Amino acid sequence: MTAFPTVELTVYPYDCDAFGHLNQAALLTLLERARWEALARGPGMDLFDRNGVWPAARRAVIDYKAGAYPRDLLRIETTVAQRGTTSLTLRHIVRRVSDEVTIAEAEIVFVCVDRLGRVTPLPEEIARFLGPRTSGSHQPIRVSVGAAELAVEVRGDGPPVLLVHGFPFDRSVWRHQLAALARWKRIAPDLRGAGASSASAAPDGYSIARYADDLVAILDALGVGAAAVCGLSMGGYVTFELLRRYADRVTAVLLVDTKPDPDAPDAKRERDKLAALTEREGQDALVSRLLPKLLARQTQPEVAEQVRDMARRWSVPGLVGALHALRDRPDSTETLPQIRVPALVLVGSEDQIAPPAVAQAMAALIPKAQCHVVPAAGHLAPLEQPLATTRLIADFLETLR
Ligand code: MLT
C-alpha cells in the first residue's frame, strides 16, 4: 500500500467542544489538513490543480475510538487503501503521540472530477503518486484441483486467514479486508465456477463438501497446515463442513452473515426456480431477483453494482451448481456445540437472509463464541460496512496471536 508522508498536528482549543474534547467534525478538518500537509511534503499542494482535476469526497466512514484534548499532538498516518481508474480510498489512522492511543480510524473515498464536476480518470502524474491500481491488480495464483483451476488471491505474511465468499459473490467481496488485514496472510479463493476459477466439468460437480475439499487442496498447495477460516453466508456453510471433516485445519472460525439451518422444502423449490431462471436468462436475471434481499436500505448504490459485477463473473453452470449445493446442504446445528476453536459471529443489523436473531442463537450454541451485530449492514457486512466489519475481524484475530 502506498503511504503518504506521516503528519503530526496539534489539537487547539477551538477544535474542541464545550466538554473540552476534540469535536467529531473538527477531526475531519484535521484529516483534511493532514492530507494537504502530506501533499505539500510530497508532490506539492497543487498536484490536483495543475492536472486540472479535483478529488471530490464521496464517502467518509469514521471510527471514533478515544478522546483527544487541547495540546494533544496527533500523528496521522495515511495510506492508499484502494486505487481505481477514477477513484481512490484513503485510510487514516490517528494516534496520540504521547501514549500511542488510537484516537480514530477513517476511510474516505474520493472520486476524481474535472472542473465541470464530471467524473474523470486520475491523471498520470496523480496515478503515479498514488501507486499501482489495486482494484483488480492483485493477480491470483492458480491451483489445480482435478480438472478445475482455482484462482486464489494470497496477500501478506503472518498467521493465515482463509476468506471464503458466499453466493453469488467472489473473492472481491473481501476487497476491504484483503487490503486492511496487514498482519495476516490473507488467502481468498474464488470457489469453483466463480470469479476467475474454472467451472466444474461434471454437472453434479458442486456440493458444499466439494467446496470444502477444494479449500483443503488450496491450503495443501500453499503449504498451510491450518488457518483461521472466515466464511460469509455460503462460505459459512462450507466452514461448517471443514469443521466436520477437517477440524485439524481450522484454528478459529469467523462466521459472517451465515446460519446453520438447511433449506426448508419451499426454499428448496425456490432454489430450483432460480436455477431454471439462471439457465434461461443468465446472471443478471438471477442477481436482479436476489438483490432486494441482500443489502441494507442505506447501502451505497456502488455496492449493488459490485454485487452485479461479481455475479457476472460466475459461469452459468457454476451458479446452477451452487444453487443445487445450497439446496442440498446439510443441517449444521449439531456441528455448533462441537466447535472447540475460538469463534466470532458477525451479522448485519438488517440481514434478511441470516437475521441477527438467528446469528445470536447460533453463537449461543458455540462454546467459545462472541457475537457482534454490525449496524447499518444487510447480508454483506464486509462490503457494506467495511471499516466496522474489518475492525471486528482484526480485533478478534489479534486475540488469537
Ligand atoms: C450467500 O450469501 O451465500 C447466500 O445468500 C446463501 C443462501 O442463499 O443461503
Side-chain angles (χ1 to χ4, degrees), residues 166-167 169 232-234 237 271 326 329 353 379:
F167 173 87
F169 320 123
L232 172 76
S233 197
M234 182 174 83
Y237 312 157
R271 302 280 190 203
L326 287 164
R329 74 183 185 278
I353 295 169
H379 188 56

Side-chain angles (χ1 to χ4, degrees), residues 165-169 232-237 256-259 261 263 271 274 290 293-294 314 323 326-327 329 351 353-354 379-380:
H165 65 79
F167 173 87
F169 320 123
L232 172 76
S233 197
M234 182 174 83
Y237 312 157
V256 184
D257 294 315
T258 193
K259 58 188 177 189
D261 335 72
D263 273 4
R271 302 280 190 203
L274 285 174
L290 297 178
K293 281 196 155 185
L294 289 178
W314 281 68
L323 282 162
L326 287 164
R327 178 195 64 195
R329 74 183 185 278
D351 189 336
I353 295 169
H379 188 56
L380 290 178

Side-chain angles (χ1 to χ4, degrees), residues 50-193:
R50 69 178 179 251
N51 281 283
V53 295
W54 201 249
R58 180 75 182 77
R59 179 166 201 239
V61 184
I62 305 179
D63 253 357
Y64 294 95
K65 300 178 86 76
Y69 307 94
R71 291 193 297 278
D72 277 353
L73 184 63
L74 302 182
R75 184 186 317 115
I76 302 172
E77 290 161 20
T78 305
T79 45
V80 182
Q82 196 179 7
R83 205 275 275 173
T85 309
T86 58
S87 69
L88 64 135
T89 302
L90 295 182
R91 177 170 297 121
H92 295 290
I93 301 185
V94 184
R95 291 195 179 86
R96 184 169 30 236
V97 170
S98 59
D99 55 7
E100 289 296 324
V101 164
T102 303
I103 304 299
E105 292 180 3
E107 257 190 22
I108 309 195
V109 180
F110 297 89
V111 287
C112 181
V113 293
D114 64 17
R115 293 195 201 282
L116 296 176
R118 293 172 306 206
V119 174
T120 188
L122 287 157
E124 172 58 26
E125 187 191 9
I126 301 176
R128 232 179 311 113
F129 169 65
L130 296 171
R133 282 190 67 198
T134 48
S135 20
S137 72
H138 283 272
Q139 286 308 315
I141 59 162
R142 320 285 312 177
V143 174
S144 302
V145 185
E149 276 249 305
L150 303 179
V152 187
E153 192 165 328
V154 184
R155 286 209 223 169
D157 286 316
V161 56
L162 177 65
L163 299 153
V164 190
H165 65 79
F167 173 87
F169 320 123
D170 61 23
R171 65 180 201 278
S172 69
V173 79
W174 302 112
R175 61 179 66 199
H176 300 280
Q177 293 70 37
L178 281 165
L181 295 172
R183 282 156 57 82
W184 291 75
K185 183 189 187 88
R186 288 90 75 199
I187 304 167
D190 287 332
L191 295 175
R192 60 174 61 216

